[in-house]
Amino acid sequence: MERVRVTPRSYPTNLIDKNWSQRIHMHGKDSEEFLNLVHDMQLRDDDVWIVTLPKCGTTWMQELVWLLLNDIDFEAALAKDQELRSPFLEFDFGVHKDLERSLRPVEECKSPRLIKSHFPLALLPSKLWEGKHKVIYVYRNPLDHWVSRYYHGVSFGFYYGKSLQQFFDGILASGDFATENIEHAHEFYQLRNEPWVFYTSFERMKKDLRGVINDVSRFLDKPVNDQQMEKLLKHLSFEEMKKNQTTNHLWELAQVKHKDAGKELHRFVRKGNVNGYKDELQPEQIERANIGIQRALEKNHVTMDELLLSGDP
Ligand code: A3P
């Protein structure tokens, strides 16, 4: 899909004071009307949003939040694909390019809605910027995010036939490849102390899932007792989620209908490692990537340790 620069209808200037006109937003070609529809979208008071870059632990966090919002009903969770329990804002338009139906999955979802999006702050509904809805953000080391994106793209057909090395060289070829990633996270990182925002990282979830469950349960005001905690830890474990038919995006795979979809299939819940990229990318690629990442971090006056919450207890 060809990506072009897009201009949001307005900017969250009430939240972050920066030169928004310099912020480059990229999105699929011919999506202006859809982006305007999202910008003006009506929300429900009890909506909860999960915003991430792709492959940063969205599904993992979504499963936790959906359960917290639905009386920790494991049976209901296991009975329906996650994509149908918790709609992905931009998915329908991405697949069908049909404005009429594009927001139907979100509109038809019963309350409380848990809405997933990969949009950056300025492309999300402007109503969200009023701070009346809960937003959960999960970040992940960009190198693991890119490697995971590659395997996802191979399974869904987009990158079928391409090697990881070729894919990654393609990323590195665009001079400013890291800025979009870093700015996406940094905007939410700057909002992390707002009472309506919960910011965390994949790395934190790996290190202390129990702690993250406790934090999210407090954030949503959905208490969890000891017995529920143990069951949640099991349900959300890598092993359980890997074999769970509802959390491996099989419904989405079937919708996309790419001619090469499924020719080389990697399970959606694939490896789930921190720093797994070190075993997959060439040292020279990692070095070049880190130079670009560092440049983007410096431009934003933030460090990777800060974005990943590495120093937090
Ligand atoms: P890998 O491809 O590196 O394994 P998203 O849902 O944002 O697309 O993120 C997908 C990534 O999260 C995949 O990373 C997947 O394996 C990982 N993931 C999903 N559930 C997980 C779990 N319970 N534990 C660890 N990682 C998990």
Side-chain angles (χ1 to χ4, degrees):
M1 177 183 49
E2 190 186 343
R3 293 175 89 234
V4 295
R5 186 172 176 177
V6 295
T7 308
R9 197 174 244 182
S10 68
Y11 291 101
T13 49
N14 63 320
L15 294 177
I16 298 174
D17 182 23
K18 71 172 180 181
N19 188 350
W20 281 102
S21 63
Q22 305 234 314
R23 167 71 156 99
I24 294 177
H25 289 97
M26 302 293 287
H27 199 66
K29 208 166 163 256
D30 302 324
S31 56
E32 195 183 337
E33 280 182 280
F34 175 66
L35 296 179
N36 288 340
L37 202 66
V38 170
H39 180 275
D40 298 339
M41 201 176 134
Q42 292 306 310
L43 304 184
R44 298 184 200 154
D45 291 350
D46 56 358
D47 284 343
V48 176
W49 286 69
I50 168 147
V51 183
T52 57
L53 285 157
K55 316 313 294 172
C56 289
T58 326
T59 311
W60 195 8
M61 179 59 88
Q62 230 175 328
E63 190 66 3
L64 164 62
V65 177
W66 189 87
L67 283 162
L68 292 177
L69 295 178
N70 289 277
D71 306 318
I72 319 194
D73 186 345
F74 294 105
E75 216 175 292
L78 291 167
K80 205 175 193 181
D81 288 299
Q82 192 193 67
E83 301 95 302
L84 301 174
R85 291 181 272 129
S86 168
F88 177 7
L89 179 72
E90 56 269 30
F91 182 78
D92 197 280
F93 185 76
V95 173
H96 301 286
K97 306 280 178 253
D98 178 353
L99 213 54
E100 281 277 299
R101 56 173 286 172
S102 60
L103 291 182
R104 226 176 273 158
V106 175
E107 285 162 358
E108 289 174 358
C109 185
K110 74 170 177 57
S111 295
R113 300 187 295 190
L114 172 60
I115 306 172
K116 156 186 166 179
S117 178
H118 294 316
F119 277 173
L121 184 63
L123 292 181
L124 287 167
S126 59
K127 278 253 175 274
L128 216 52
W129 309 336
E130 293 173 9
K132 295 183 184 136
H133 300 86
K134 301 253 162 125
V135 180
I136 293 166
Y137 188 90
V138 187
Y139 186 55
R140 186 184 193 186
N141 175 333
L143 286 146
D144 283 335
H145 141 90
W146 282 311
V147 170
S148 183
R149 242 180 68 189
Y150 166 73
Y151 287 107
H152 177 107
V154 169
S155 299
F156 275 59
F158 315 125
Y159 305 142
Y160 175 72
K162 216 180 219 193
S163 70
L164 172 62
Q165 309 313 327
Q166 286 168 332
F167 166 81
F168 202 70
D169 280 341
I171 299 253
L172 295 175
S174 80
D176 208 9
F177 63 89
T179 295
E180 200 176 349
N181 177 296
I182 300 300
E183 290 193 341
H184 196 291
H186 186 228
E187 282 158 5
F188 282 92
Y189 179 77
Q190 286 172 282
L191 302 178
R192 71 196 179 285
N193 294 322
E194 296 284 343
W196 53 279
V197 175
F198 178 76
Y199 179 102
T200 192
S201 66
F202 181 91
E203 287 72 4
R204 274 200 76 72
M205 291 175 73
K206 284 285 289 189
K207 192 169 141 198
D208 182 13
L209 185 58
R210 185 187 295 269
V212 174
I213 295 176
N214 274 326
D215 290 346
V216 178
S217 122
R218 258 192 306 276
F219 174 69
L220 295 174
D221 197 16
K222 297 283 179 193
V224 169
N225 64 35
D226 291 349
Q227 202 188 4
Q228 289 170 325
M229 173 61 89
E230 295 315 312
K231 286 188 178 164
L232 277 171
L233 285 169
K234 181 160 191 284
H235 183 90
L236 297 170
S237 69
F238 178 78
E239 294 71 27
E240 289 291 318
M241 280 194 56
K242 194 172 179 94
K243 65 180 186 214
N244 183 340
Q245 289 296 100
T246 73
T247 53
N248 276 277
H249 295 250
L250 302 171
W251 179 85
E252 253 170 26
L253 185 66
Q255 305 302 306
V256 172
K257 294 193 183 87
H258 191 283
K259 68 173 176 45
D260 293 326
K263 286 189 181 164
E264 182 187 327
L265 202 54
H266 298 270
R267 194 86 171 149
F268 189 94
V269 178
R270 189 184 61 95
K271 286 214 163 148
N273 288 334
V274 171
N275 293 337
Y277 72 84
K278 289 184 181 169
D279 301 327
E280 309 235 24
L281 298 172
Q282 312 280 347
E284 172 271 329
Q285 289 179 310
I286 297 175
E287 200 179 317
R288 279 166 64 204
N290 279 334
I291 292 171
I293 293 168
Q294 196 50 36
R295 205 182 305 129
L297 288 165
E298 281 167 17
K299 219 163 52 185
N300 282 276
H301 309 290
V302 69
T303 65
M304 186 51 68
D305 279 348
E306 284 171 328
L307 292 181
L308 295 176
L309 304 179
S310 308
D312 284 22

Short mmCIF file of all heavy atoms in Angstrom, two decimals, residues 52-60 118 140 144 148 152 202 206 236-238 241 249 268-273, ligand 1:
data_model
loop_
_atom_site.label_atom_id
_atom_site.label_comp_id
_atom_site.label_asym_id
_atom_site.label_seq_id
_atom_site.Cartn_x
_atom_site.Cartn_y
_atom_site.Cartn_z
N THR A 52 -1.18 1.80 20.00
CA THR A 52 0.18 1.27 19.92
C THR A 52 0.70 1.43 18.50
O THR A 52 -0.10 1.67 17.58
CB THR A 52 0.17 -0.27 20.16
OG1 THR A 52 -0.70 -0.84 19.18
CG2 THR A 52 -0.31 -0.66 21.53
N LEU A 53 1.97 1.21 18.33
CA LEU A 53 2.49 0.91 17.00
C LEU A 53 2.27 -0.59 16.81
O LEU A 53 2.25 -1.35 17.79
CB LEU A 53 3.98 1.23 16.93
CG LEU A 53 4.31 2.72 16.85
CD1 LEU A 53 5.72 2.99 17.35
CD2 LEU A 53 4.17 3.21 15.41
N PRO A 54 2.12 -1.05 15.55
CA PRO A 54 1.90 -2.49 15.36
C PRO A 54 3.04 -3.31 15.97
O PRO A 54 4.18 -2.86 16.01
CB PRO A 54 1.90 -2.65 13.83
CG PRO A 54 1.69 -1.29 13.28
CD PRO A 54 2.18 -0.31 14.29
N LYS A 55 2.70 -4.49 16.43
CA LYS A 55 3.67 -5.48 16.92
C LYS A 55 4.37 -5.09 18.23
O LYS A 55 5.50 -5.48 18.48
CB LYS A 55 4.73 -5.79 15.85
CG LYS A 55 4.22 -5.99 14.45
CD LYS A 55 3.02 -6.88 14.34
CE LYS A 55 3.25 -8.30 14.72
NZ LYS A 55 1.96 -9.06 14.75
N CYS A 56 3.68 -4.31 19.02
CA CYS A 56 4.29 -3.86 20.28
C CYS A 56 3.62 -4.49 21.50
O CYS A 56 3.82 -4.03 22.63
CB CYS A 56 4.22 -2.34 20.37
SG CYS A 56 5.37 -1.56 19.21
N GLY A 57 2.79 -5.51 21.29
CA GLY A 57 2.11 -6.14 22.44
C GLY A 57 0.66 -5.71 22.55
O GLY A 57 0.04 -5.88 23.60
N THR A 58 0.10 -5.20 21.46
CA THR A 58 -1.29 -4.75 21.45
C THR A 58 -2.24 -5.87 21.87
O THR A 58 -3.06 -5.70 22.78
CB THR A 58 -1.69 -4.31 20.01
OG1 THR A 58 -0.58 -3.75 19.36
CG2 THR A 58 -2.86 -3.36 20.03
N THR A 59 -2.14 -7.00 21.18
CA THR A 59 -3.06 -8.12 21.41
C THR A 59 -2.98 -8.60 22.86
O THR A 59 -3.99 -8.94 23.47
CB THR A 59 -2.66 -9.28 20.46
OG1 THR A 59 -2.51 -8.75 19.15
CG2 THR A 59 -3.68 -10.38 20.47
N TRP A 60 -1.79 -8.61 23.38
CA TRP A 60 -1.54 -9.06 24.75
C TRP A 60 -2.27 -8.13 25.73
O TRP A 60 -3.03 -8.58 26.59
CB TRP A 60 -0.02 -9.02 24.97
CG TRP A 60 0.51 -9.76 26.15
CD1 TRP A 60 -0.19 -10.59 26.98
CD2 TRP A 60 1.86 -9.73 26.61
NE1 TRP A 60 0.65 -11.08 27.94
CE2 TRP A 60 1.91 -10.57 27.74
CE3 TRP A 60 3.02 -9.09 26.20
CZ2 TRP A 60 3.08 -10.77 28.46
CZ3 TRP A 60 4.19 -9.30 26.92
CH2 TRP A 60 4.23 -10.13 28.03
N HIS A 118 -3.72 2.02 15.71
CA HIS A 118 -2.28 2.30 15.59
C HIS A 118 -2.07 3.75 15.18
O HIS A 118 -0.93 4.15 14.89
CB HIS A 118 -1.65 1.38 14.54
CG HIS A 118 -1.65 -0.07 14.91
ND1 HIS A 118 -1.32 -0.52 16.17
CD2 HIS A 118 -1.93 -1.19 14.19
CE1 HIS A 118 -1.41 -1.83 16.20
NE2 HIS A 118 -1.79 -2.26 15.01
N ARG A 140 7.31 -0.62 22.41
CA ARG A 140 8.27 -1.74 22.38
C ARG A 140 9.51 -1.30 21.62
O ARG A 140 9.41 -0.50 20.68
CB ARG A 140 7.62 -2.93 21.64
CG ARG A 140 8.45 -4.19 21.67
CD ARG A 140 7.82 -5.30 20.83
NE ARG A 140 8.44 -6.59 21.09
CZ ARG A 140 8.16 -7.70 20.43
NH1 ARG A 140 7.24 -7.69 19.47
NH2 ARG A 140 8.78 -8.82 20.71
N ASP A 144 12.73 -4.88 17.73
CA ASP A 144 11.84 -6.04 17.86
C ASP A 144 10.54 -5.78 17.11
O ASP A 144 9.96 -6.71 16.52
CB ASP A 144 11.55 -6.33 19.34
CG ASP A 144 12.72 -7.02 20.03
OD1 ASP A 144 13.52 -7.68 19.33
OD2 ASP A 144 12.85 -6.89 21.27
N SER A 148 9.20 -8.23 14.15
CA SER A 148 7.87 -8.82 14.31
C SER A 148 6.97 -8.42 13.15
O SER A 148 6.19 -9.23 12.63
CB SER A 148 7.29 -8.38 15.65
OG SER A 148 6.04 -8.97 15.87
N HIS A 152 4.87 -10.85 10.51
CA HIS A 152 3.43 -10.63 10.34
C HIS A 152 3.12 -10.41 8.86
O HIS A 152 2.20 -11.00 8.30
CB HIS A 152 3.02 -9.39 11.16
CG HIS A 152 1.58 -9.01 11.03
ND1 HIS A 152 0.67 -9.21 12.02
CD2 HIS A 152 0.91 -8.43 10.01
CE1 HIS A 152 -0.52 -8.79 11.62
NE2 HIS A 152 -0.40 -8.30 10.40
N PHE A 202 6.08 -3.19 26.31
CA PHE A 202 6.14 -4.65 26.15
C PHE A 202 7.18 -5.21 27.13
O PHE A 202 6.97 -6.23 27.78
CB PHE A 202 6.55 -4.94 24.69
CG PHE A 202 6.63 -6.38 24.34
CD1 PHE A 202 5.52 -7.04 23.82
CD2 PHE A 202 7.82 -7.10 24.47
CE1 PHE A 202 5.60 -8.38 23.46
CE2 PHE A 202 7.89 -8.44 24.12
CZ PHE A 202 6.79 -9.09 23.61
N LYS A 206 6.78 -8.04 30.02
CA LYS A 206 7.58 -9.26 30.10
C LYS A 206 8.22 -9.39 31.47
O LYS A 206 8.33 -10.48 32.02
CB LYS A 206 8.69 -9.24 29.03
CG LYS A 206 8.23 -9.51 27.63
CD LYS A 206 7.92 -10.97 27.37
CE LYS A 206 9.16 -11.83 27.33
NZ LYS A 206 8.82 -13.20 26.86
N LEU A 236 -2.88 -15.14 30.08
CA LEU A 236 -2.07 -14.16 29.33
C LEU A 236 -0.64 -14.64 29.10
O LEU A 236 0.17 -13.92 28.50
CB LEU A 236 -2.04 -12.82 30.07
CG LEU A 236 -3.40 -12.12 30.21
CD1 LEU A 236 -3.29 -10.94 31.16
CD2 LEU A 236 -3.92 -11.65 28.85
N SER A 237 -0.31 -15.84 29.58
CA SER A 237 1.07 -16.33 29.38
C SER A 237 1.30 -16.56 27.90
O SER A 237 0.36 -16.79 27.12
CB SER A 237 1.29 -17.64 30.15
OG SER A 237 0.54 -18.66 29.53
N PHE A 238 2.56 -16.50 27.50
CA PHE A 238 2.91 -16.69 26.09
C PHE A 238 2.38 -18.04 25.58
O PHE A 238 1.77 -18.12 24.51
CB PHE A 238 4.43 -16.60 25.92
CG PHE A 238 4.87 -16.83 24.52
CD1 PHE A 238 4.76 -15.82 23.57
CD2 PHE A 238 5.36 -18.07 24.11
CE1 PHE A 238 5.13 -16.04 22.25
CE2 PHE A 238 5.74 -18.29 22.80
CZ PHE A 238 5.63 -17.27 21.87
N MET A 241 -1.42 -17.97 25.16
CA MET A 241 -1.88 -17.10 24.07
C MET A 241 -1.45 -17.63 22.71
O MET A 241 -2.12 -17.41 21.72
CB MET A 241 -1.41 -15.66 24.29
CG MET A 241 -2.33 -14.98 25.31
SD MET A 241 -2.20 -13.20 25.42
CE MET A 241 -2.49 -12.63 23.76
N HIS A 249 -5.29 -13.76 15.55
CA HIS A 249 -5.70 -12.95 14.39
C HIS A 249 -6.03 -13.76 13.15
O HIS A 249 -5.74 -13.34 12.03
CB HIS A 249 -4.63 -11.87 14.10
CG HIS A 249 -4.51 -10.88 15.22
ND1 HIS A 249 -4.92 -9.57 15.10
CD2 HIS A 249 -4.08 -11.01 16.48
CE1 HIS A 249 -4.72 -8.94 16.25
NE2 HIS A 249 -4.21 -9.80 17.11
N PHE A 268 0.75 -15.70 14.90
CA PHE A 268 0.73 -14.29 15.31
C PHE A 268 1.44 -14.12 16.67
O PHE A 268 2.30 -13.26 16.83
CB PHE A 268 -0.72 -13.78 15.40
CG PHE A 268 -0.81 -12.31 15.60
CD1 PHE A 268 -0.96 -11.46 14.52
CD2 PHE A 268 -0.72 -11.75 16.87
CE1 PHE A 268 -1.01 -10.08 14.70
CE2 PHE A 268 -0.78 -10.39 17.06
CZ PHE A 268 -0.93 -9.55 15.97
N VAL A 269 1.06 -14.94 17.63
CA VAL A 269 1.81 -14.96 18.90
C VAL A 269 3.00 -15.86 18.60
O VAL A 269 2.91 -17.08 18.61
CB VAL A 269 0.94 -15.47 20.06
CG1 VAL A 269 1.75 -15.52 21.36
CG2 VAL A 269 -0.29 -14.58 20.25
N ARG A 270 4.12 -15.24 18.28
CA ARG A 270 5.21 -15.92 17.59
C ARG A 270 6.34 -16.32 18.52
O ARG A 270 6.54 -17.48 18.83
CB ARG A 270 5.72 -14.97 16.48
CG ARG A 270 6.70 -15.53 15.50
CD ARG A 270 7.17 -14.43 14.54
NE ARG A 270 7.84 -13.34 15.25
CZ ARG A 270 9.15 -13.24 15.40
NH1 ARG A 270 9.94 -14.13 14.87
NH2 ARG A 270 9.67 -12.23 16.09
N LYS A 271 7.12 -15.33 19.00
CA LYS A 271 8.25 -15.65 19.89
C LYS A 271 8.14 -14.91 21.21
O LYS A 271 8.58 -15.38 22.25
CB LYS A 271 9.57 -15.28 19.21
CG LYS A 271 9.95 -16.23 18.11
CD LYS A 271 11.46 -16.38 18.03
CE LYS A 271 11.85 -17.60 17.25
NZ LYS A 271 13.11 -17.41 16.53
N GLY A 272 7.66 -13.67 21.14
CA GLY A 272 7.41 -12.90 22.36
C GLY A 272 8.65 -12.59 23.17
O GLY A 272 8.60 -12.54 24.40
N ASN A 273 9.78 -12.37 22.50
CA ASN A 273 11.02 -12.11 23.23
C ASN A 273 11.37 -10.64 23.29
O ASN A 273 11.00 -9.87 22.42
CB ASN A 273 12.19 -12.83 22.54
CG ASN A 273 12.12 -14.32 22.75
OD1 ASN A 273 11.55 -14.79 23.74
ND2 ASN A 273 12.66 -15.09 21.82
P1 A3P B 1 6.89 -11.38 18.17
O1 A3P B 1 6.51 -11.38 16.73
O2 A3P B 1 8.20 -10.69 18.44
O3 A3P B 1 6.84 -12.73 18.79
P2 A3P B 1 0.82 -6.95 18.42
O4 A3P B 1 -0.28 -7.63 19.10
O5 A3P B 1 1.00 -5.52 18.80
O6 A3P B 1 0.78 -7.13 16.94
O7 A3P B 1 2.17 -7.62 18.91
C1 A3P B 1 2.53 -8.92 18.53
C2 A3P B 1 3.78 -9.32 19.29
O8 A3P B 1 3.42 -9.54 20.68
C3 A3P B 1 4.37 -10.63 18.78
O9 A3P B 1 5.79 -10.49 18.95
C4 A3P B 1 3.77 -11.63 19.76
O10 A3P B 1 4.47 -12.84 19.84
C5 A3P B 1 3.84 -10.85 21.05
N1 A3P B 1 2.94 -11.39 22.08
C6 A3P B 1 1.61 -11.58 22.01
N2 A3P B 1 1.14 -12.15 23.13
C7 A3P B 1 2.21 -12.34 23.93
C8 A3P B 1 2.39 -12.92 25.23
N3 A3P B 1 1.37 -13.41 25.92
N4 A3P B 1 3.65 -12.93 25.75
C9 A3P B 1 4.69 -12.42 25.07
N5 A3P B 1 4.58 -11.87 23.82
C10 A3P B 1 3.35 -11.84 23.27
#
